[in-house]
């Protein structure tokens, strides 16, 4: 089994719902967005276009971040999920230098959202205790939710159904069908990282 | 309320806004600079690799010329490199965790190199050991260690597929050349301040050859990177005409190459004296630091998202 995601660029309206759902689900600190949305404008008036590009860890088949990790903290499960064991991570950040998708975030110190010198809110205290300082973090396809037979938070909360999750190895799965029928592509496949996240073109 | 007033209030509300603003800005930019290994505590990585390089180079030449003061300075340099690594990692247990997986990556190989070098050199220094079998073995171990250190400090960067300016075999070659050059420079400084039993003329000749080869190497590296286009040529632009140009022209080229070159030529025309030699050595050391600083700071990630549309100057 190889878990993966398809993101339909035709459907995405750039609402940032996935980004916020991910932050709420994982209780990440300020500046850390495992799922995020890039927006681009191109063309010249009157022929201008705006394109949203939702991003997350690509759970690469050939993950350069794992190759360079000196402690084995960056690992891959048998279902293809690339994750970091925070207890093994030493915060050397070699993996951040190797990841071309900007999917990794160093947790240098505990920050809070509401004010210099102010105490963190009760919500922040309770959520940030799941995160260590001095280590690198990233998306793990919401492993904890998958264990409960739920979809990753960004998928479950996308109101446009632009994100679809499934088994890439199963030719009958919806993700495999979409990739085949709608010319799914990997982001910058030429880097040789073999991402498990596919995109469907913005135009047919 | 104006936009700038709103921004200023939101800055006051968010702790350490500069850091977060920068992160946001980077994630939205086409050419994202690497900051983790250069800014804040990240500078310790550059310092560590600087001391590792000159320490390794100085050890090799001190052994070659049987120069005791140089040997001590080489060991002190490697010690400082180890301390800088430790300070970057924050906890010594982390160092052990890296050592526990010797062949996992260039980072761990480099750490092992530092450790082997340290142990080998210390045993070699023990009274009565130097001319024994134990002395030869410890010397062998230390030389194996320095070779690893010289190789790994460049490879740690060149394995980073995401940063094309680093992802070339020229980076390890540059780090080796600068390590050797820095080693000679350290010995020249040692000869001035620590008294000399050193063959200065031979050292100077070596220094000139290494200096000339580093000039050629840097030029070659920049030309190749510039020709590769994309993020690599953006890095070159940052060095020669962008935010790193002052450090590049002032530190790497000016102090690191032109000053030693001018003084070396001056020596040919009678500008003699140990002090001149010391200044050549010292300027070269500053240049060695700056070449590493500049290469690391110029690291820029491959642009993301070109696949979904042309790169636009305006990214919102
Ligand atoms: S939630 Fe869905 S529609 Fe909204 S930005 Fe994310 S992927 Fe696009
Ligand atoms: S996207 Fe980056 S962090 Fe995720 S698997 Fe690929 S290289 Fe690793
Ligand atoms: S920061 Fe952590 S996960 Fe990344 S390479 Fe270092 S030890 Fe591995």
């Amino acid at each position: 089994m190889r878990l993966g995601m398809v993101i339909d660029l035709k459907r995405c309206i750039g609402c940032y719902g996935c980004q916020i759902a991910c932050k709420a689900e994982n209780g990440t600190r300020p500046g850390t967005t495992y799922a995020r949305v890039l927006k681009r404008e191109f063309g010249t008036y009157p022929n201008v276009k705006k394109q949203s590009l939702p991003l997350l860890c690509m759970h690469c088949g050939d993950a350069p971040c794992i190759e360079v990790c000196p402690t084995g903290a960056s690992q891959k499960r048998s279902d293809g999920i690339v994750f970091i064991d925070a207890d093994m991570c030493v915060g050397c950040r070699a993996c951040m230098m190797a990841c071309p998708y900007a999917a990794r975030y160093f947790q240098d110190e505990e920050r809070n959202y509401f004010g210099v010198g102010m105490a963190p809110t009760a919500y922040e205290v309770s959520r940030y205790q799941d995160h260590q300082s001095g280590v690198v973090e990233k998306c793990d396809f919401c492993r904890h939710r998958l264990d409960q037979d739920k979809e990753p938070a960004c998928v479950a909360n996308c109101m446009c159904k632009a994100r679809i999750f499934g088994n890439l190895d199963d030719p009958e799965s919806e993700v495999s069908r979409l990739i085949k029928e709608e010319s799914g592509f990997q982001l910058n496949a030429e880097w040789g990282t073999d991402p498990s996240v596919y995109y469907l073109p913005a135009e047919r | 309320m104006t936009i700038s007033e709103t921004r200023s209030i939101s800055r006051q509300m968010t702790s350490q806004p500069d850091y977060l603003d920068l992160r946001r800005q980077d994630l939205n930019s086409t050419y994202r600079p690497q900051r983790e290994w250069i800014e804040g505590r990240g500078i310790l990585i550059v310092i560590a690799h600087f001391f590792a390089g000159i320490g390794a180079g100085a050890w090799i030449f001190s052994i070659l010329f049987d120069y005791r003061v140089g040997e001590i300075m080489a060991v002190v340099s490697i010690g400082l490199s180890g301390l800088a690594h430790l300070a970057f990692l924050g906890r010594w247990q982390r160092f052990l965790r890296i050592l526990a997986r010797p062949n996992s990556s260039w980072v761990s190989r480099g750490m092992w190199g530092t450790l082997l070098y340290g142990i080998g050199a210390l045993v070699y220094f023990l009274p009565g050991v130097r001319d024994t079998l134990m002395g030869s073995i410890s010397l062998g171990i230390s030389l194996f260690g320095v070779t690893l250190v010289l190789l790994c400090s460049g490879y740690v960067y060149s394995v980073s597929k995401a940063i094309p300016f680093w992802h070339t075999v020229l980076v390890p070659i540059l780090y080796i050349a600068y390590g050797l050059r820095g080693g000679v420079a350290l010995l020249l400084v040692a000869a001035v301040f620590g008294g000399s039993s050193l063959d200065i003329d031979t050292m100077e000749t070596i220094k000139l050859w290494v200096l000339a080869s580093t000039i050629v190497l840097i030029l070659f590296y920049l030309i190749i990177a510039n020709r590769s286009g994309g993020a690599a040529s953006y890095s070159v632009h940052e060095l020669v005409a962008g935010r790193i140009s002052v450090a590049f022209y002032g530190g790497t080229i000016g102090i690191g190459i032109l000053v030693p070159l001018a003084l070396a030529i001056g020596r040919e025309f009678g500008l003699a004296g140990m002090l001149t030699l010391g200044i050549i050595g010292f300027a070269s050391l500053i240049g060695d630091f700056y070449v590493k600083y500049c290469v690391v700071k110029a690291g820029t990630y491959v642009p993301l998202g070109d696949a979904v549309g042309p790169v636009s100057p305006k990214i919102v």
Side-chain angles (χ1 to χ4, degrees):
Chain A
M1 177 160 74
R2 180 175 176 190
L3 293 173
M5 193 182 286
V6 167
I7 299 178
D8 190 342
L9 296 174
K10 288 185 295 299
R11 284 176 165 266
C12 175
I13 55 167
C15 67
Y16 295 104
C18 45
Q19 187 165 322
I20 301 301
C22 171
K23 281 200 82 70
E25 179 66 35
N26 293 295
T28 51
R29 295 171 177 180
T32 300
T33 43
Y34 301 162
R36 62 194 173 96
V37 184
L38 262 188
K39 291 193 183 172
R40 287 180 180 281
E41 278 179 10
F42 46 91
T44 42
Y45 179 82
N47 296 315
V48 284
K49 249 185 173 178
K50 191 167 177 179
Q51 181 62 56
S52 303
L53 177 64
L55 291 164
L56 70 164
C57 169
M58 301 283 147
H59 297 275
C60 304
D62 192 357
C65 57
I66 295 180
E67 250 171 66
V68 299
C69 179
T71 63
S74 283
Q75 304 169 30
K76 188 187 287 180
R77 304 201 318 188
S78 58
D79 57 9
I81 293 181
V82 175
F83 69 101
I84 302 169
D85 181 335
D87 293 331
M88 290 172 79
C89 175
V90 294
C92 69
R93 288 163 260 177
C95 54
M96 294 181 75
M97 303 298 146
C99 169
Y101 299 99
R104 295 182 164 241
Y105 297 83
F106 181 62
Q107 308 298 305
D108 58 342
E109 60 185 73
E110 200 164 300
R111 298 165 196 280
N112 64 65
Y113 272 104
F114 301 102
V116 181
M118 279 178 62
T121 60
Y123 173 81
E124 288 176 310
V125 171
S126 80
R127 299 310 305 275
Y128 296 164
Q129 68 192 7
D130 300 336
H131 302 271
Q132 294 183 28
S133 288
V135 298
V136 168
E137 288 187 348
K138 69 169 204 65
C139 154
D140 62 0
F141 272 164
C142 288
R143 282 186 288 165
H144 57 289
R145 286 177 61 94
L146 297 180
D147 291 345
Q148 300 162 9
D149 280 335
K150 292 179 187 164
E151 291 182 310
C154 57
V155 176
N157 288 281
C158 176
M159 62 177 166
C160 299
K161 299 274 172 255
R163 289 176 179 244
I164 303 102
F165 188 72
N167 181 5
L168 296 170
D169 279 348
D170 175 4
E172 305 298 318
S173 69
E174 194 183 357
V175 280
S176 299
R177 184 185 62 76
L178 284 169
I179 293 167
K180 205 165 105 198
E181 290 176 6
E182 299 202 30
S183 320
F185 64 93
Q186 294 162 313
L187 203 59
N188 296 96
E190 71 278 9
W191 294 338
T193 49
D194 187 20
S196 299
V197 175
Y198 283 75
Y199 290 82
L200 303 185
E203 285 164 17
R204 279 188 201 277
Chain B
M1 195 181 287
T2 64
I3 290 179
S4 66
E5 281 169 342
T6 323
R7 281 207 181 121
S8 126
I9 289 176
S10 83
R11 283 213 166 87
Q12 285 163 25
M13 284 178 63
T14 318
S15 58
Q16 309 227 3
D18 291 348
Y19 172 85
L20 296 178
D21 280 354
L22 262 185
R23 189 179 271 190
R24 247 174 249 133
Q25 183 190 312
D26 284 353
L27 287 176
N28 283 313
S29 57
T30 303
Y31 289 116
R32 187 167 52 98
Q34 82 78 19
R35 297 190 192 275
E36 297 294 340
W37 278 357
I38 194 74
E39 290 180 11
R41 256 193 188 190
I43 191 70
L44 289 166
I45 286 287
V46 180
I47 295 173
H49 288 164
F50 164 69
F51 280 119
I54 63 170
W59 182 255
I60 291 172
F61 287 111
S62 301
I63 296 296
L64 216 59
F65 290 96
D66 195 18
Y67 183 46
R68 301 289 159 94
V69 181
E71 287 172 11
I72 293 169
M73 289 188 87
V75 171
V76 170
S77 295
I78 284 285
L80 289 173
S81 163
L83 283 179
H85 273 118
L86 275 180
F88 176 75
L89 292 174
R91 274 168 252 158
W92 63 269
Q93 294 93 329
R94 294 186 157 186
F95 193 71
L96 297 184
R97 231 180 275 158
I98 293 178
L99 290 175
R101 292 170 58 95
N103 207 19
S104 63
S105 61
W106 287 103
V107 173
S108 7
R109 282 174 216 128
M111 293 285 191
W112 265 102
T114 310
L115 190 73
L116 288 177
Y117 169 34
I119 293 171
L122 287 179
V123 173
Y124 189 65
F125 275 147
L126 289 177
V129 168
R130 191 173 284 251
D131 298 320
T132 62
L133 177 65
M134 176 69 114
S136 307
I137 293 173
S138 57
L139 180 62
I141 290 175
S142 71
L143 287 173
F144 178 66
V146 292
T147 312
L148 270 183
V149 168
L150 275 178
L151 268 178
C152 296
S153 42
Y155 269 109
V156 161
Y157 298 99
S158 74
V159 287
S160 302
K161 282 185 184 162
I163 300 179
F165 186 57
W166 296 350
H167 193 47
T168 155
V169 74
L170 287 175
V171 172
I173 295 175
L174 192 74
Y175 268 62
I176 292 170
Y178 264 94
L180 295 176
R181 188 188 111 135
V184 181
L186 190 65
L187 296 195
L188 289 181
V189 174
V192 174
F193 297 106
S196 174
S197 56
L198 195 60
D199 180 355
I200 295 291
D201 287 336
T202 317
M203 287 304 285
E204 237 211 302
T205 314
I206 294 175
K207 174 98 196 78
L208 268 178
W209 276 106
V210 185
L211 179 65
S213 56
T214 46
I215 297 171
V216 174
L217 204 54
I218 285 190
L219 274 176
F220 189 55
Y221 176 43
L222 294 184
I223 291 169
I224 299 269
N226 197 35
R227 287 213 178 137
S228 337
S233 89
Y234 182 82
S235 295
V236 176
H237 176 266
E238 288 285 76
L239 279 177
V240 299
R243 70 193 162 98
I244 317 164
S245 53
V246 174
F248 180 65
Y249 291 120
T252 308
I253 305 288
I255 303 177
I257 291 179
L258 296 182
V259 171
L261 202 60
L263 289 175
I265 293 170
R267 270 177 67 81
E268 294 299 315
F269 292 96
L271 185 66
M274 287 302 276
L275 192 62
T276 316
L277 266 185
I279 297 173
I280 293 179
F282 197 64
S284 304
L285 285 177
I286 295 177
D288 291 359
F289 174 80
Y290 269 105
V291 81
K292 290 180 178 169
Y293 175 86
C294 289
V295 167
V296 177
K297 189 151 177 121
T300 307
Y301 289 95
V302 278
L304 252 182
D306 296 2
V308 294
V311 178
S312 149
K314 183 168 183 208
I315 296 162
V316 291

